[in-house]
Amino acid sequence: MNRTKIFNNENKKLYNDFPSFFKKLFSQRVQKLSINSGFTCPNRDGTKSLNACSYCNNLSFRPFYCEPKKTITEQINEGIKFFSKKYPSKKYLAYFQSFTNTYADINILKEKYEEAISHKSIIGLVIGTRPDCVEDEILNYLSDLAKKKFISIEYGVESTKNETLKFINRCHTFEESKETIMRTYEKKNIYIGAHLILGLPNENEIDILNHAKEISKLPINFLKLHQLQIIKGTKIENQFMNNPEIFIKFSLESYINFVIKFLEILNPNIIIERFVSQSPRNLLISPLWGLKNFEIIDKIEKKLKEKNTWQGKFF
Ligand code: SF4
């Protein structure tokens, strides 16, 4: 499958939106199904750290059917059963989401990916991983697979500022993110996603807007933006309680206004996959905005119109 950059303004959106891109590519609604393949992460198993990233609690983004003791096929079948009630999608992407999904022996990785891709309803893979865990061997394999199927690697970049990456214990640098993204791009065919958290400790608005400038220089297709969420049981919870002054506390209104500033300087070719994330209420300490993702997206779209502005206006 060719990796194309689609500058999308046919649907009159003021930003390059993900659903329109998918509709154009597949001519139908496609749903991502989260998979927990039982991998771990070098930031948890002691290879890089035993302490994890300071904000990480994988329970906060794991749907109920994702349990590593179930096979990939079982998880896919249960996911389809769940989503087909909500959205009548016929096609699905297997989303290897939990932990680091390129962190295992290549034969184990191939076995898991191939189990997913051989399911009749799965038309591609989305693989979430860290930028320091992707060898050429796996990129060559995925690039080959991507000639026939949709393959996307989603990199946890999180910040472009190395002091922040150190502070949150990511145990990799922004230079490593850039190098891996370029290496992925050079292998051809693979779609590339990046993930950024807005509001990490010690970052001010200028730092965060600089992420938009830096990420715009990279050959990524998709960008996921998440507000920093303080999740129970994480290291950042203590920092948030003991040193609240190191955090920007976005109200919903100020976050929406800030996202618009971010969009204005972002490369208009980058497709925005997410503006916000939503962890289960029982795990979330802050922010408690009380709205669903789609309601926040609707507010962002209205605000763009009201301000007569758009993604890339000042790119
Ligand atoms: S956020 Fe990702 S890289 Fe960091 S500890 Fe959690 S699973 Fe590992």
Side-chain angles (χ1 to χ4, degrees):
M1 190 167 282
N2 285 331
R3 176 178 51 193
T4 45
K5 287 196 169 181
I6 299 175
F7 189 90
N8 177 6
N9 57 10
E10 287 167 14
N11 57 358
K12 310 273 185 279
K13 294 251 182 201
L14 295 164
Y15 65 100
N16 210 348
D17 75 304
F18 191 71
S20 303
F21 165 78
F22 257 23
K23 232 176 175 177
K24 191 162 185 166
L25 192 64
F26 296 115
S27 315
Q28 63 179 306
R29 193 179 194 286
V30 174
Q31 178 68 45
K32 273 186 181 178
L33 292 179
S34 293
I35 304 286
N36 185 339
S37 46
F39 299 132
T40 178
C41 153
N43 236 11
R44 289 179 167 270
D45 71 2
T47 302
K48 289 215 152 177
S49 167
L50 285 168
N51 298 326
C53 303
S54 60
Y55 56 84
C56 175
N57 178 344
N58 264 250
L59 287 178
S60 64
F61 52 81
R62 197 173 79 186
F64 71 92
Y65 59 83
C66 283
E67 283 181 38
K69 63 176 191 295
K70 295 179 188 164
T71 66
I72 304 277
T73 309
E74 283 168 344
Q75 292 181 50
I76 291 173
N77 287 338
E78 286 184 35
I80 290 176
K81 205 169 152 197
F82 173 73
F83 279 110
S84 60
K85 282 183 212 144
K86 282 173 101 177
Y87 316 107
S89 302
K90 291 196 186 69
K91 294 294 169 202
Y92 296 86
L93 295 171
Y95 180 21
F96 287 79
Q97 183 182 19
S98 299
F99 301 105
T100 303
N101 293 285
T102 53
Y103 186 55
D105 178 87
I106 182 139
N107 293 317
I108 296 173
L109 294 174
K110 283 183 185 175
E111 196 186 301
K112 303 268 186 192
Y113 300 156
E114 282 167 21
E115 183 178 347
I117 213 102
S118 64
H119 191 288
K120 65 179 188 322
S121 300
I122 296 292
I123 55 170
L125 306 179
V126 180
I127 299 166
T129 193
R130 292 168 54 90
D132 57 349
C133 285
V134 184
E135 304 293 336
D136 275 348
E137 202 181 5
I138 192 68
L139 286 182
N140 289 336
Y141 163 76
L142 290 173
S143 167
D144 227 37
L145 200 56
K147 288 177 191 155
K148 296 174 281 192
K149 298 279 183 180
F150 177 94
I151 304 291
S152 173
I153 305 184
E154 191 177 291
Y155 289 112
V157 174
E158 316 311 356
S159 172
T160 65
K161 197 174 169 189
N162 284 336
E163 292 97 305
T164 307
L165 293 170
K166 195 166 178 202
F167 191 79
I168 61 174
N169 197 44
R170 277 295 293 182
C171 299
H172 67 74
T173 60
F174 179 52
E175 286 69 33
E176 286 174 279
S177 298
K178 286 195 282 191
E179 189 275 329
T180 307
I181 287 171
M182 289 314 298
R183 210 155 33 86
T184 310
Y185 180 69
E186 281 156 15
K187 295 288 178 195
K188 312 280 180 219
N189 308 321
I190 304 169
Y191 285 89
I192 305 171
H195 187 283
L196 284 175
I197 302 176
L198 308 188
L200 285 167
N202 296 316
E203 289 197 345
N204 58 32
E205 292 199 355
I206 295 168
D207 294 324
I208 308 175
L209 292 176
N210 197 46
H211 300 334
K213 291 183 192 155
E214 289 298 326
I215 218 81
S216 291
K217 296 176 193 163
L218 296 173
I220 62 165
N221 303 95
F222 313 120
L223 179 63
K224 277 184 173 175
L225 301 174
H226 292 232
Q227 78 282 23
L228 174 68
Q229 296 189 101
I230 309 295
I231 305 294
K232 284 182 191 162
T234 58
K235 200 166 144 202
I236 219 164
E237 179 190 0
N238 288 336
Q239 291 167 345
F240 186 76
M241 296 302 175
N242 299 327
N243 303 92
E245 71 286 355
I246 65 174
F247 295 86
I248 299 178
K249 286 193 202 60
F250 285 115
S251 63
L252 179 58
E253 188 65 19
S254 67
Y255 184 75
I256 289 170
N257 284 320
F258 186 73
V259 162
I260 285 167
K261 280 195 220 165
F262 190 99
L263 280 180
E264 287 176 331
I265 56 175
L266 188 71
N267 184 336
N269 282 325
I270 295 176
I271 296 158
I272 309 293
E273 193 176 342
R274 262 184 177 275
F275 288 112
V276 284
S277 55
Q278 203 170 38
S279 291
R281 178 63 188 87
N282 60 331
L283 293 176
L284 184 62
I285 293 173
S286 174
L288 300 174
W289 291 336
L291 289 186
K292 302 240 180 270
N293 286 357
F294 76 88
E295 293 171 307
I296 299 177
I297 293 168
D298 188 54
K299 281 181 177 290
I300 291 172
E301 291 182 354
K302 283 196 178 121
K303 188 62 92 174
L304 281 165
K305 250 185 217 151
E306 190 187 307
K307 291 189 170 220
N308 186 28
T309 192
W310 54 88
Q311 179 182 348
K313 185 177 186 182
F314 303 126
F315 169 63

